[in-house]
Amino acid sequence: MKVTDLVTEFAKPIVEQLGCSLWDVEYVREGAERYLRLYIDKDGGVDIDDCEKIHRAIDPILDEKDPISESYHFEVCSAGIERTLKRPADFAQFMGSPILVKLYRPRNGLKEIPCVLRGYEDGKLTVEAGKETICFEKSEVALVRLRVEF
């Protein structure tokens, strides 16, 4: 089982018991360091107290279960207003929202396309950019995140 799946399994009920939802778990290398990050969310937004409370509740369980053999930094963060969309439920929740699509290779000279989410099925993404409807195959898309318009 992947580290992120294992951590999700035991962290999700604790996060929910503390009044938040678990948006995502990532385990990444940044330079020489490794990071385990829990991204949380709640109605009305997450504050530093939520992050601290969840960090204190999960940290001893990480020590006990020891899912990662090497040293790492553990962080609890807000999912943020420009959060990454990954799962089908994420796309369903934010249908009609402004997003930014980042591509592996440029399309019409652009690698980043600001647009509105119009559809998502089996990894295929349908967006509206200006008056144009564009479909992207899963293999073309590096990242999709919410976009805040001012």
Side-chain angles (χ1 to χ4, degrees):
M1 182 179 269
K2 288 175 33 181
V3 167
T4 52
D5 294 338
L6 184 63
V7 172
T8 298
E9 193 175 277
F10 68 76
K12 186 175 181 176
I14 296 165
V15 171
E16 289 173 354
Q17 183 181 356
L18 294 172
C20 295
S21 61
L22 184 60
W23 181 261
D24 197 14
V25 176
E26 72 175 6
Y27 181 58
V28 295
R29 168 181 249 142
E30 293 178 2
E33 305 291 325
R34 292 188 181 273
Y35 293 85
L36 175 65
R37 291 190 182 106
L38 270 62
Y39 292 94
I40 60 171
D41 194 21
K42 78 173 185 185
D43 289 341
V46 169
D47 62 28
I48 191 74
D49 293 333
D50 295 314
C51 294
E52 183 180 350
K53 180 173 53 175
I54 289 167
H55 189 285
R56 284 187 180 162
I58 303 277
D59 195 40
I61 297 167
L62 284 169
D63 289 342
E64 175 192 319
K65 293 194 180 284
D66 200 22
I68 303 170
S69 57
E70 60 257 347
S71 68
Y72 62 94
H73 302 277
F74 173 51
E75 299 176 346
V76 177
C77 318
S78 166
I81 57 174
E82 292 193 324
R83 67 192 61 189
T84 302
L85 306 181
K86 295 180 179 180
R87 298 169 298 275
D90 301 345
F91 290 94
Q93 180 179 349
F94 290 101
M95 198 60 61
S97 297
I99 59 171
L100 181 72
V101 176
K102 292 187 179 190
L103 303 172
Y104 290 113
R105 290 181 300 285
R107 184 187 267 203
N108 298 329
L110 298 173
K111 279 188 84 173
E112 294 187 2
I113 301 170
C115 50
V116 174
L117 178 59
R118 293 295 180 213
Y120 182 83
E121 188 174 334
D122 297 328
K124 186 175 182 178
L125 188 63
T126 304
V127 302
E128 186 178 294
K131 294 184 184 344
E132 184 181 4
T133 298
I134 307 169
C135 292
F136 297 102
E137 294 299 324
K138 186 178 187 176
S139 61
E140 297 178 90
V141 178
L143 178 98
V144 177
R145 70 168 174 77
L146 292 179
R147 179 173 52 91
V148 175
E149 297 179 317
F150 294 99

